[in-house]
């Protein structure tokens, strides 16, 4: 059961990193759009 918990926590961490990358990308795109005349 401990192994399953460790796998779930690892997957959660991977998912969180992907979400962070998506948010960063969206924020960058919004900054670029805001600079356009």
């Amino acid at each position: 059961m401990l192994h399953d918990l460790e796998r779930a926590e690892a997957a959660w961490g991977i998912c969180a990193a992907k979400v962070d990358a998506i948010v960063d990308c969206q924020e960058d795109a919004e900054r670029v759009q805001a600079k356009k005349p």
Side-chain angles (χ1 to χ4, degrees), residues 2-25:
L2 180 59
H3 180 68
D4 291 339
L5 177 59
E6 290 171 347
R7 286 181 58 187
E9 288 175 345
W12 190 4
I14 292 167
C15 182
K18 290 179 182 182
V19 170
D20 289 345
I22 291 167
V23 169
D24 289 344
C25 183

